[in-house]
Each structure stands twice: as structure tokens, then as C-alpha cells.
Amino acid sequence: MVVRLRDVAAAAGVSDATVSLALAGNPRISAATAQRVIAVANELGYRPNSAARALRTESTRSLGLIVSDVANPFFGELAGAIERQAAREGYSVILCNSDEDADRQDDYLLNMLAGSQVDGVLLVPTSSTTPGLRAVASSGAKVVLLDRPITVSGNGTAANSLRALPSVSSDPGRALAEAAELLTTLGHERIGVVSPPLDTPLGRVRRKQIRDALVAAGVRSRDIFVEEGDFRLNSGYRATTKLLEQRRPTAIIAADGPMGVGALKALRAHGLRVPHDMSLICFDDAPWFDLFDPPLTTIAQPIEELAKSAVATILALLRDETGKQLPAAHPECRFIRRSSCGVPAE
């Protein structure tokens, strides 16, 4: 049986974060608590040498990569690009899939760092902040946030540590402006948006980015209708069905690839043809999107540039080269126009 960090926490009667900090030798944890945690970890057989090695020891030449959904084609492509880029630098990559589960994310994050399995971690966060993320940020572990932002409140030491985490993500501004201009030029005035979960920082940011681009192109704010999904195909189907039944837009923008495919399925289930009856644009550009009928118009994220920047940023942290000139932390997306957009139906 594999003993996990949460098993040690339960047996010691403390939080996961406290176990991580105690095994890392963090001075924020009292000596008595640290001794109890280490004793329980040794008794259960949970990496008994991890406290001695702490978070920073001799290099493992390995990086951790925690993605939120490995089934999402975007993250599959990004993981491959990061692995290739890391290999060029002499590093291997340990890939973990949190499956949009914050507890699973923290398990991977704390186990990899407290157990000294990797030198640093590239993390696609599942939510704003979690106990594990706060713990590793406070401990000074080498972590780079990837693709998704986090929201940090307060001004204490922990909040400042979270704000100090480097972040690498794409900039969709120009591509969204081109998409909005295309829709308004074609004559669309009522636009539906399938957004990420609005209780996440990415959901709120993406909704604002899309709304701002559409308003700047001349769409009235009251004619932009938002239904949230959860990054998965089925949620795109449900959100699009709501838009069709309640709002009747003439075009839809889906905020990621799987939700875009779900939107396309919903349109077909309602007997609507793309682009004759409804125009469709989605974020991300899976390799087969140009094989759909019709080929999907997309806002493509710069995967190779993201991978290059992410690996360069984590290695700069490891080598204490944060003042060194690095690749752009926010490379621009590209707008790829295909055949899924047309003039509104009469």
C-alpha cells in the first residue's frame, strides 16, 4: 500500500500543508509538531528521509508537470512540447493529471516537492489557491504557474509568497479582437459565450476578455450571453443548449476546445448547420479541428512558445537567474479563420 501525504496528515492530526512544511524543515512549524509529523511519517513508511533532504537538495534533473486534464488535447500537446524542451536542457519530466481536482493537485504537488522527487514544478492550477499551493509558496519551493491565473487576497506573508510565483500564459487579446471584428463584419449582433467556470480566476478573466473584445467591435453588452461550462465536452453541450433555448444568439464563442466540440454537438442535435444557421469559434486548436465539417475557426494558443517560456522560467528559478532575459511570459495567440463562421441566418 502506498502511503500518501494525506495519510500522514490524518494520522498526525494536522493539515496536509503542515505535513509538507514539517517535512521540509520550515521554521513556521513548531519543533514539537515537526517531531510528531516526522515520527508518524517514519512509522507509516512515508519517505522517512524526506525531512533530512528537505525541499532543496542535490538536483534530480527532473521537473514536475501537473496539468488539469490530460484528456484535453491542448494539455496533451503542451505536455509533449514541455517534455521536448526540458530534454534539450537535460531534464526529464514527471507528468501528473489533477483531473480538475484540487485535492489531487495538492497531493501531487506536496508529494513531489516534499519528497524531493523533482527540482521544481510547472503547475496548471485547478482553482484560485489551495492549502498545498499556499504551503509550497511559503516554503520557497520552485513553482511556476502555467496557463491559468490565480487570485490572491490579503497582504500577509503567505499572500505575498503566492503573488511572487512566476506565471506563464498566453495573451489572446489580438486574436480575440480579430474574432470579434470578423463576427461583427459578418453582421452578428447577438453572441453567446461558453465560458470556463466563473468561480475560477480563468473563468472571470476569459469572460472579461471575450466581452471586452466584442464590445470594442460594436456588440452591445446586453446582447452578449454567457453560460458557464467546466472545461469538459458535456458542459459545452449543456451550455450551448441553454443559449439556444433561452437566448438565441447567431454566433457562439467557446472558451476551450472540448467545450467547443460540445457546442458543435449541441448545434447538430438541434438541427442547426454551421455556419449557415450558427457561427462557431473556439479557443485552442486541436490538430483535427481543420478536418471537421466545417473546419473550426479557432483562437490558437502558442504551444511551443508557452513550453519554451515555462521551461526557461523554472530553470531560471533553479539556477537563481531570475534577472536573466527570458522568453516572453505571455506569448500571443493566433486567430485562425476557417469555415465555421458565416453571415447570420435570416
Side-chain angles (χ1 to χ4, degrees), residues 29 41 68 99 112 114 129 153 237 259 265 292 309 331 339 346:
I29 304 302
S68 56
D99 202 30
M112 283 196 294
T129 58
S153 59
Y237 187 100
M259 291 193 299
K265 289 186 66 175
F292 280 7
S309 181
S339 305
E346 291 294 334

Side-chain angles (χ1 to χ4, degrees), residues 22 54 68 73 104 144 151 173 207 226 235 241 259 273 291-292 309:
S68 56
R104 182 181 294 186
V144 173
T151 299
R207 175 182 59 179
V226 179
S235 73
T241 298
M259 291 193 299
R273 299 167 300 164
L291 301 177
F292 280 7
S309 181

